Amino acid sequence: MKPFVTHTGVVAALDRANVDTDQIIPKQFLKRIERTGFGQFLFFDWRFRPDGSPEPEFELNRPEAAGASILLSRRNFGCGSSREHAPWALADYGFRVVIAPTFADIFYSNCFQNGMLPIRLDEQDVEELFRRTAQATASGGSPYTLRVDLNTCTVADSAGFSKPFEIDAFRRTCLLQGLDNIALTLDHVDSIAAWEAAHGLPPVAAQQP
Amino acid sequence: MPSTPRTLLEKIWDAHLVCAPEGEQPLIYIDRHLVHEVTSAQAFEGLRLAGRRVRRPEATFATPDHNIPTTDRRLPIADAISRQQIDTLRNNCREFGVRLFDLGDADQGIVHVIGPELGITQPGMTIVCGDSHTATHGALGALAFGIGTSEVEHVLATQTLRQSKPKSFEVRVEGSLHPGITAKDLVLYIIGQLSTEGGTGYVIEYTGPCIRSLGMEERMTVCNMSIEAGARAGMIAPDQITFDYLRGRDYAPRDFEAAVAAWKKLPSDPGARFDRTAIYQGGDVVPQVTWGTNPAQVVGVDATVPDPAAIADASERDSSNRALEYMGLTSGTRISDIALDRVFIGSCTNSRIEDLRAAAKVVQGYSIAPNIHAMVVPGSGRVKRQAELEGLDKVFTAAGFEWREAGCSMCLGMNPDTLSPGQRCASTSNRNFEGRQGKGGRTHLVSPAMAAAAAVAGHFTDIREWRYRS
């Protein structure tokens, strides 16, 4: 997995609550058997008109969101279906960070499996980020940019906004080092085998590396 | 010395804790892993690339359900990408030694219907599946939750999962439901009270006399929709209803009495502490109909479409306005005045035999309204055969419903069963998200009886006033 240490990127503001995974990646694109190539379908029903042309009003299609890699949204982001295609699509499109006041549990877990960092910030801090993003757009200057540092667990801009965020220590380590979760668990294969033996399950032949 | 009182969740958690190494998330053992075609291909591919095997093939069960057609199964799947996904599941199961209830297998069906039905799901187990409605299995007193594909791969390879211990949430329902009110109405009501994220970070245990009075399949309906309130799992302590349901099922324990003796120790101890408790009255629940684009946007059938202006929270108000626009509704409209185009009876929430019996009882002696296209999709091959044995299929087809083969079908519309833009559907499924049943489609979640009545009336109607002809 790609490590995540620091990331600086343009912020795209998606000012909606309860963005569900059916919106992030609609079901008609779940039939692919690869992990890649889902970015083209991200937010498909919102992003494209029925004739296939981009919907100019949709947040990610606006000029200020060009090249964005940090997605800002509202409460309960990623609710609904467990489909990991949602973080695959976000990552493939170019996002590495999602900031919201709250996330749905399964989506939140899925992000970490894909080198993506979901950041929970207080509602008023998220509100402030929406304000600053809108202000940058209105001023016509350079797009609003944030710097995320997983070492110090802070998210900051260049104009005085700086907030700490909380994250499970183990998940942080895995992201910082880009660790393979399965390999890490297989370090505990003796404990797993012991649990199985204690519960009357037949032994499993040694795993290949 | 008496031990500390523990909840059902804590008992299952403690019994499955493999290790909690310093600085790592705990590892818990997974007893049953259910697999379907949409969220497993990439996981098996990951195993293959790393040269890993499935650690416990005998604890892993697969079936295709999400993308399969519900029409004639003897015909090849027309959509090439769907076909490839099914073939991939078939090949993966063969290569890794996993039991597959394939298309054409008499026991194929929606993964959350066949698990309990075959007795694969049992009290006290940890059960996962790459599907958010895995909470269904919690109805039998299991800790069951949905996982992503990377976690599917992790469970396949290690039979364990990294999990931080979830918080416990007791949802107690006192009293009893009025006649005509179903488990679906109850769970929609609870979601409406809790909001779509009220349960985030928690495992819900449903308790109280109202819950205890529910049959096994009704309990599945309640647990199934826990995720719509944000809770990854929902569970109900096992009791005689659970044991009677499981006795004699294909995968039920051989020494059933010994198993029952162990299961009887599972219920939460008196005095066990929950991190949070909410109490509702069963008698407060009326037939529920969702009006918006998430399951918490729900009202009673006797109500009107609410006015977003009355919502204090800005983002919820915005969300409601957006929902009304998408749904093509205006606030103040009576729910019973909402006319429909489609009716869907099916999904892992409401496609079991009791659901079909309830719907058939309403439909008996009636025909569906001329404006309605309606279909019934049984949850499994077994449910379908049982329904046919009881003549329910004839009741439905005589009334004008289509009678289909088992699968997820129009709950998520991955197969050809979809809504067209603008079509309005009364659906017994679990999600009314934008585009869920087809781009531009408008979904209203209801119980099977309410869906059946709506099919006959052509619009929503209060099931409590239904004139049964059966």
Side-chain angles (χ1 to χ4, degrees):
Chain A
M1 193 178 67
K2 196 157 126 189
F4 186 111
V5 184
T6 62
H7 177 78
T8 302
V10 170
V11 177
L14 185 62
D15 194 353
R16 307 178 190 216
N18 299 312
V19 173
D20 61 73
T21 53
D22 272 87
Q23 301 317 320
I24 298 172
I25 178 92
K27 73 314 202 78
Q28 61 268 36
F29 309 113
L30 305 185
K31 296 175 189 172
R32 297 162 61 92
I33 55 171
E34 302 86 19
R35 279 178 199 257
T36 52
F38 288 98
Q40 57 190 311
F41 310 124
L42 180 72
F43 294 118
F44 192 86
D45 290 353
W46 286 346
R47 211 169 119 204
F48 298 104
R49 293 166 154 173
D51 67 2
S53 64
E55 166 58 59
E57 286 306 303
F58 180 58
E59 289 88 333
L60 297 192
N61 289 339
R62 292 180 195 156
E64 65 269 23
S69 59
I70 298 177
L71 185 64
L72 179 67
S73 192
R74 298 286 185 182
R75 299 186 68 81
N76 202 24
F77 188 87
C79 61
S81 157
S82 63
R83 58 188 71 162
E84 198 164 317
H85 310 68
W88 293 340
L90 286 163
D92 192 51
Y93 184 88
F95 287 111
R96 293 222 66 201
V97 176
V98 185
I99 301 174
T102 56
F103 291 89
D105 286 341
I106 306 178
F107 175 83
Y108 187 78
S109 293
N110 284 342
C111 285
F112 289 99
Q113 309 284 350
N114 294 282
M116 257 181 51
L117 179 61
I119 298 177
R120 295 191 193 105
L121 289 182
D122 286 346
E123 203 123 35
Q124 59 267 36
D125 294 333
V126 168
E127 186 60 46
E128 178 60 21
L129 290 179
F130 271 106
R131 204 187 60 78
R132 289 183 181 225
T133 308
Q135 198 177 36
T137 304
S139 73
S142 50
Y144 188 61
T145 301
L146 283 169
R147 180 171 191 277
V148 175
D149 188 333
L150 187 56
N151 273 312
T152 57
C153 291
T154 50
V155 50
D157 67 8
S158 54
F161 182 95
S162 179
K163 294 287 171 187
F165 59 86
E166 287 182 12
I167 175 175
D168 174 82
F170 176 65
R171 283 177 157 155
R172 177 172 166 270
T173 309
C174 290
L175 261 191
L176 283 171
Q177 299 177 24
L179 296 177
D180 172 359
N181 274 301
I182 295 177
L184 214 57
T185 295
L186 289 174
D187 286 345
H188 302 297
V189 73
D190 292 345
S191 301
I192 298 171
W195 191 98
E196 289 173 334
H199 290 78
L201 294 170
V204 171
Q207 281 266 357
Q208 296 100 324
Chain B
M1 207 179 78
S3 52
T4 315
R6 291 184 299 165
T7 61
L8 168 62
L9 166 66
E10 287 171 315
K11 291 180 190 185
I12 299 178
W13 181 270
D14 293 348
H16 289 83
L17 189 64
V18 171
C19 58
E22 180 72 28
E24 297 184 23
Q25 272 184 308
L27 272 181
I28 61 165
Y29 201 81
I30 301 301
D31 294 315
R32 293 286 182 270
H33 188 187
L34 307 173
V35 171
H36 66 84
E37 76 277 22
V38 175
T39 57
S40 67
Q42 294 87 349
F44 282 113
E45 180 62 13
L47 291 187
R48 209 174 280 119
L49 291 172
R52 291 173 178 140
R53 294 173 307 183
V54 175
R55 183 172 177 87
R56 288 278 171 196
E58 72 278 15
T60 314
F61 298 87
T63 194
D65 57 3
H66 277 63
N67 91 29
I68 54 174
T70 52
T71 44
D72 193 343
R73 287 281 156 80
R74 290 164 301 187
L75 302 171
I77 298 175
D79 179 50
I81 315 177
S82 286
R83 195 166 63 235
Q84 183 193 30
Q85 204 168 43
I86 300 299
D87 288 342
T88 303
L89 179 68
R90 200 171 281 149
N91 294 336
N92 285 333
C93 288
R94 194 181 303 127
E95 180 181 341
F96 290 94
V98 170
R99 172 74 167 97
L100 172 69
F101 299 96
D102 203 352
L103 282 181
D105 188 305
D107 293 329
Q108 177 269 337
I110 303 174
V111 67
H112 307 313
V113 174
I114 70 170
E117 182 176 77
L118 294 169
I120 292 169
T121 304
Q122 294 168 21
M125 283 183 165
T126 49
I127 301 174
V128 295
C129 174
D131 187 277
S132 61
H133 292 109
T134 307
T136 312
H137 307 267
L140 290 95
L143 174 59
F145 51 90
I147 56 177
T149 296
S150 296
E151 291 174 315
V152 168
E153 184 180 339
H154 190 281
V155 176
L156 289 172
T158 70
Q159 204 57 38
T160 66
L161 199 61
R162 295 261 180 201
Q163 278 292 298
S164 300
K165 189 175 172 182
K167 291 179 287 182
S168 59
F169 185 178
E170 179 188 27
V171 171
R172 188 154 81 231
V173 189
E174 305 283 8
S176 56
L177 299 175
H178 290 297
I181 310 301
T182 67
K184 180 63 163 292
D185 301 305
L186 174 60
V187 71
L188 284 171
Y189 174 84
I190 292 171
I191 295 162
Q193 299 291 314
L194 285 178
S195 91
T196 51
E197 59 170 348
T200 302
Y202 292 95
V203 166
I204 294 177
E205 182 182 343
Y206 300 93
T207 67
C210 186
I211 297 294
R212 294 255 74 85
S213 72
L214 298 176
M216 203 60 248
E217 296 188 357
E218 295 176 298
R219 295 178 184 188
M220 292 182 211
T221 300
V222 171
C223 288
N224 172 274
M225 290 192 71
S226 302
I227 186 70
E228 313 314 333
R232 212 164 168 180
M235 59 206 313
I236 294 174
D239 58 13
Q240 198 57 45
I241 290 173
T242 322
F243 311 146
D244 291 344
Y245 174 89
L246 276 172
R247 191 184 303 276
R249 299 211 176 247
D250 302 55
Y251 289 85
R254 292 240 176 84
D255 189 349
F256 196 76
E257 294 316 316
V260 167
W263 294 341
K264 283 183 172 170
K265 296 177 184 155
L266 286 168
S268 296
D269 299 321
R273 227 188 55 73
F274 290 89
D275 293 302
R276 188 180 161 199
T277 295
I279 302 171
Y280 303 108
Q281 301 296 328
D284 288 348
V285 183
V286 301
Q288 302 285 300
V289 180
T290 63
W291 55 267
T293 52
N294 72 55
Q297 291 174 328
V298 65
V299 290
V301 65
D302 49 3
T304 56
V305 176
D307 182 4
I311 300 172
D313 180 80
S315 86
E316 277 308 314
R317 189 167 59 242
D318 176 56
S319 187
S320 294
N321 277 318
R322 200 186 291 274
L324 285 186
E325 190 187 334
Y326 180 84
M327 293 296 289
L329 293 172
T330 31
S331 53
T333 303
R334 285 153 42 119
I335 295 294
S336 55
D337 286 345
I338 299 173
L340 298 154
D341 308 298
R342 304 282 296 268
V343 170
F344 170 64
I345 297 176
S347 88
C348 58
T349 312
N350 281 130
S351 64
R352 298 179 183 82
I353 191 66
E354 288 172 14
D355 298 316
L356 304 194
R357 284 177 189 146
K361 192 170 170 229
V362 171
V363 167
Q364 176 95 51
Y366 286 100
S367 295
I368 62 174
N371 55 313
I372 299 285
H373 173 234
M375 61 196 285
V376 182
V377 183
S380 71
R382 284 194 183 199
V383 170
K384 180 165 187 274
R385 286 194 302 282
Q386 180 61 32
E388 288 170 352
L389 205 66
E390 297 176 21
L392 305 184
D393 59 320
K394 297 289 188 300
V395 173
F396 287 121
T397 52
F401 280 84
E402 288 183 27
W403 177 248
R404 296 294 189 90
E405 299 289 337
C408 298
S409 180
M410 209 165 71
C411 173
L412 84 165
M414 262 194 86
N415 74 348
D417 308 337
T418 56
L419 296 180
S420 306
Q423 277 192 328
R424 190 179 296 283
C425 180
S427 178
T428 67
S429 55
N430 40 56
R431 289 197 174 123
N432 50 345
F433 295 158
E434 284 184 31
R436 171 79 176 179
Q437 296 191 293
K439 185 168 180 170
R442 294 159 171 169
T443 303
H444 297 270
L445 304 177
V446 289
S447 75
M450 283 283 289
V456 171
H459 54 84
F460 288 113
T461 184
D462 192 335
I463 193 66
R464 293 171 296 181
E465 292 158 17
W466 191 251
R467 297 168 71 93
Y468 288 91
R469 291 181 179 169
S470 51

